[in-house]
Amino acid sequence: MGMTVAEKILARASGRDSVRPGDVIEPRVDLAMSHENGALVINQFLEVYKDTGLEPKVWDPGRIAIIFDHRVPAESAKTATNQKKVRDFVGAQKISKFHDIRGDQGGICHQILPENGYVRPGMVVVGTDSHTTTHGALGAFAFGIGATEMASVWTLGSVLNVEVPGTIKVVINGEFAEHVSAKDLILHIIGKLSAEGANYKVLEFHGEAIHRMPTSGRLVLCNMSVEAGATAGIVPSDAETLRYLHETAGVTGQVDIVQPDADAEYEQVVEIDITNLTFQIACPNGVDNVKPIDAVEGTKVDQIVVGSCTNGRRDDIAAVAHILQGRRVADGVRLLVFPASWKIYQECMAHGYIDDLVKAGAVVMNPGCGPCLGVHEGALGDGEVALSTTNRNFKGRMGNPKSEVFLCSPAVAAASALAGHIARPKGEPHGQPARVETEAGCLEAW
Amino acid sequence: MANLQESKPRLVVSKLGDDISTDAIYPGRFMATVLPTETPKLAFADDTELNAKLNSRTLPEGSVIVAGRNFGCGSSREQAASCLRGHGVTIVARAFARIFQQNSINLGLPTVICPELEADAGDELVIAGDHVWNETKGTKFATVPLPAARQAIIDAGGLIPYTRKRLLESRA
Ligand code: SF4
């Protein structure tokens, strides 16, 4: 019987010919990622070695990635001390994929991994971050784990006691209407499935709309798959995957792609035609509280955030800059833009997007997680409302339980910044061409 | 799930709804605090009442928090499990989010999956074998056992001793 992409990857990684949902395996790990929470992983790792008489040594320093992104530059002495501890450990263990707080190499972990070519199709990727699902966009099996589980991976090089998850096939057909994007699609899917609809499952994306979608859009789909509870999201690798790896991520040499078998068995098939899909908004306080924009149009907002591991990529910022170009953010609204990496920041500068944004009144912040998790900058006041291209709107997520967060696409964020309230993008300003230059040279799915 | 064969009733100290996120259990602004000795005082920091109750040090041993579906959804932060473990509570929920439940198993926070559970704060529960008995209401609900592989981690005392054992075996 055929296998899904996840089953194929997990079979290979556990040295078997095949696996079935429910099998318990110990897959070898190709890439293990942490961020600032590496400080906690280090504690647990040293705990494993305690009283063993063995010298603590990670299984493979070349397969560990550590990226500082959650609180950069450090917002407190405590964070700075944790970062220092991680830096010392990285040096002592000779961990090779380390991205410090630097303009020539830094950014959000879920952007740094793809843009540096660290992720390839067929890999098993684990990360101490729930949005590790992002990397399924490049055909890997990538999932979030806790710090203690990572300490176990650092010790043994495999994940213990993994149950092979069943796979839900999500088939996307049709074409996006103008300005409607991958973010609207994944919000729509999460609304349909619910916040736990894919718990312990994999979402495998198929369909003509996925084939045409650039990697920047696929990353959005897989990033937010975890918001439906999914263990992983996967786009089977194809020509676009190879294009991204070779052209954007600088990967040289042969890359093998992994496709599901024609007779693979899926637990469920969800089919969606996006032709009539409109802008989607996740309303407070749940990512699955999704409504079409009509339901909340006109809602006054105080702060708009563009960025994060979901929508902080060049195509996202290009979409926003294009709508804002030559216009002004409405009075009474703060627009904060934080590119997902310094590489993206530089590209946006080169294309003039940063200039467009600043002239329109946006505050462009340093790449990193920024206000996304309510711990660093861009906090909300009591009773304030934010509209954000990030991925979570749980109560208190942006640092203040007395505030509310709505989630949207970059285009809706830009149109709303001009209006001062939740608004839909309407046509193109100043008769500009309807197409923006995107990474893959096509418009669908920023 | 802890291997709980018992008859002693446990007090339900709080009843929570569906989709309780790790941001609610352990707000992101405290993420720089990582030590399991320091996280418990910040459990449910934004829920003043529950936080005060947990920190009052007057909870009877083995107290229970009951919750609806998808408890622990969201971030993978392990502090959400370590902060509750520090209070010695057991979480009985209709369903758990994957990463939270794995973290709980790894750290030894007892979690019980009880899909049909009906219980309110103040009720007394007995968790025994494959059932939860609500002694106050006189009702009984089936629990879902953990797969053997995950139970093995609990039986070893958590993922750290389990991994240590595997490490020593690999060097033997
Ligand atoms: S941008 Fe937000 S969701 Fe993404 S890794 Fe950072 S904190 Fe997490």
Side-chain angles (χ1 to χ4, degrees):
Chain A
M1 207 176 315
M3 289 189 282
T4 67
V5 175
E7 288 158 11
K8 278 191 171 176
I9 294 173
L10 290 173
R12 179 199 56 81
S14 51
R16 300 192 186 193
D17 291 337
S18 72
V19 294
R20 293 269 127 229
D23 287 355
V24 177
I25 53 166
E26 295 186 353
R28 281 186 309 277
V29 169
D30 297 297
L31 182 64
M33 187 277 295
S34 290
H35 43 73
E36 275 93 335
N37 63 15
L40 180 52
V41 183
I42 293 168
N43 289 353
Q44 302 298 73
F45 175 72
L46 296 177
E47 195 61 31
V48 168
Y49 276 83
K50 207 171 140 193
D51 299 328
T52 60
L54 299 170
E55 190 197 339
K57 238 174 155 313
V58 298
W59 105 100
D60 186 346
R63 292 187 186 277
I64 296 178
I66 296 187
I67 291 101
F68 288 158
D69 56 4
H70 274 55
R71 301 179 296 276
V72 291
E75 91 297 354
S76 66
K78 203 165 199 169
T79 291
T81 307
N82 281 342
Q83 288 169 346
K84 178 171 181 284
K85 173 179 173 164
V86 173
R87 214 174 270 122
D88 291 346
F89 184 86
V90 160
Q93 297 276 340
K94 303 194 167 42
I95 288 170
S96 61
K97 298 178 171 71
F98 174 55
H99 291 252
D100 207 334
I101 306 165
R102 295 174 57 110
D104 59 352
Q105 54 167 240
I108 305 176
C109 56
H110 303 309
Q111 175 60 20
I112 293 299
L113 261 50
E115 82 179 18
N116 285 282
Y118 295 164
V119 181
R120 315 277 176 91
M123 278 187 164
V124 172
V125 179
V126 291
T128 44
D129 191 282
S130 56
H131 292 105
T132 301
T133 53
T134 308
H135 310 291
L138 293 169
F141 182 78
F143 62 111
I145 61 175
T148 303
E149 205 160 3
M150 184 58 85
S152 181
V153 170
W154 282 6
T155 307
L156 303 170
S158 52
V159 205
L160 302 177
N161 301 320
V162 174
E163 242 180 292
V164 176
T167 299
I168 300 174
K169 184 176 187 179
V170 185
V171 185
I172 313 293
N173 289 315
E175 252 184 81
F176 284 121
E178 190 182 9
H179 290 307
V180 178
S181 69
K183 181 62 165 286
D184 299 297
L185 171 58
I186 189 65
L187 288 177
H188 176 66
I189 292 171
I190 294 162
K192 262 178 98 110
L193 289 175
S194 91
E196 62 163 354
N199 203 12
Y200 287 99
K201 307 264 181 274
V202 176
L203 297 181
E204 194 181 278
F205 294 96
H206 290 265
E208 61 193 48
I210 301 297
H211 292 305
R212 283 198 307 268
M213 189 179 284
T215 297
S216 57
R218 298 173 177 189
L219 288 161
V220 174
L221 299 183
C222 292
N223 174 273
M224 287 195 73
S225 293
V226 69
E227 305 307 332
T231 301
I234 292 185
V235 176
S237 38
D238 60 8
E240 162 59 14
T241 317
L242 297 179
R243 183 206 64 78
Y244 178 87
L245 289 174
H246 294 309
E247 287 176 21
T248 305
V251 171
T252 50
Q254 170 82 16
V255 174
D256 294 325
I257 63 173
V258 184
Q259 285 283 336
D261 290 325
D263 58 345
E265 227 176 274
Y266 296 95
E267 290 200 353
Q268 194 186 336
V269 179
V270 179
E271 281 189 60
I272 296 170
D273 189 317
I274 54 174
T275 310
N276 295 318
L277 183 72
T278 183
F279 307 106
Q280 306 288 307
I281 310 283
C283 301
N285 295 316
V287 188
D288 61 352
N289 187 15
V290 176
K291 297 181 179 153
I293 195 166
D294 321 38
V296 288
E297 228 170 339
T299 304
K300 169 95 187 66
V301 294
D302 302 289
Q303 179 165 295
I304 297 181
V305 175
V306 172
S308 84
C309 57
T310 311
N311 281 127
R313 300 195 170 80
R314 188 177 115 196
D315 292 351
D316 303 317
I317 294 170
V320 173
H322 185 63
I323 291 174
L324 291 186
Q325 197 181 52
R327 305 177 129 200
R328 274 193 82 243
V329 172
D331 289 337
V333 185
R334 311 180 293 271
L335 173 61
L336 311 181
V337 180
F338 59 116
S341 74
W342 280 102
K343 184 172 178 224
I344 290 171
Y345 193 106
Q346 288 170 19
E347 289 170 3
C348 289
M349 264 199 293
H351 283 77
Y353 303 148
I354 304 285
D355 202 46
D356 292 340
L357 293 171
V358 174
K359 282 187 179 138
V363 173
V364 181
M365 293 151 51
N366 67 288
C369 297
C372 175
L373 79 164
V375 72
H376 194 203
E377 39 201 353
L380 297 166
D382 289 358
E384 283 197 323
V385 175
L387 178 68
S388 178
T389 70
T390 54
N391 48 39
R392 285 193 175 134
N393 61 349
F394 305 139
K395 196 170 166 212
R397 174 70 181 182
M398 275 196 182
N400 187 344
K402 293 185 188 125
S403 65
E404 287 190 331
V405 180
F406 290 82
L407 304 177
C408 70
S409 72
V412 169
S416 304
L418 293 175
H421 51 76
I422 296 179
R424 67 180 70 219
K426 297 184 210 78
E428 294 305 317
H430 315 316
Q432 301 239 350
R435 297 204 154 237
V436 295
E437 183 204 343
T438 66
E439 229 172 51
C442 57
L443 181 71
E444 297 137 318
W446 292 319
Chain B
M1 191 186 318
N3 209 353
L4 302 156
Q5 284 292 348
E6 56 181 50
S7 56
K8 193 169 64 75
R10 299 153 168 266
L11 179 69
V12 176
V13 293
S14 184
K15 178 192 180 177
L16 304 169
D18 292 337
D19 300 324
I20 300 297
S21 72
T22 54
D23 280 274
I25 302 168
Y26 193 89
R29 62 185 185 279
F30 303 123
M31 291 256 282
T33 300
V34 298
L35 294 178
T37 47
E38 293 176 4
T39 56
K41 64 177 182 296
L42 301 168
F44 288 102
D46 290 335
D47 180 338
T48 336
E49 201 184 314
L50 180 51
N51 176 267
K53 220 186 254 184
L54 289 171
N55 283 317
S56 67
R57 300 185 175 278
T58 56
L59 292 187
E61 212 193 302
S63 292
V64 168
I65 292 174
V66 301
R69 301 194 58 84
N70 208 21
F71 184 84
C73 59
S75 149
S76 64
R77 68 192 65 161
E78 199 161 280
Q79 289 98 321
S82 77
C83 74
L84 294 173
R85 179 165 200 278
H87 288 295
V89 291
T90 293
I91 315 295
V92 185
R94 290 184 163 200
F96 291 89
R98 180 186 67 85
I99 304 177
F100 177 84
Q101 185 157 33
Q102 189 64 52
N103 284 342
S104 302
I105 290 163
N106 294 345
L107 294 182
L109 167 69
T111 56
V112 179
I113 309 167
C114 190
E116 309 290 331
L117 178 74
E118 300 282 353
D120 293 300
D123 287 359
E124 300 218 305
L125 305 183
V126 170
I127 304 165
D130 54 2
H131 282 82
V132 171
W133 301 78
N134 186 331
E135 299 231 307
T136 310
K137 296 197 161 65
T139 44
K140 176 185 167 187
F141 306 96
T143 57
V144 178
L146 281 181
R150 270 183 235 138
Q151 187 61 44
I153 296 175
I154 294 171
D155 295 344
L159 187 61
I160 288 188
Y162 192 82
T163 301
R164 190 184 291 137
K165 188 169 138 253
R166 292 286 300 267
L167 169 69
L168 291 171
E169 281 167 10
S170 74
R171 300 293 171 91

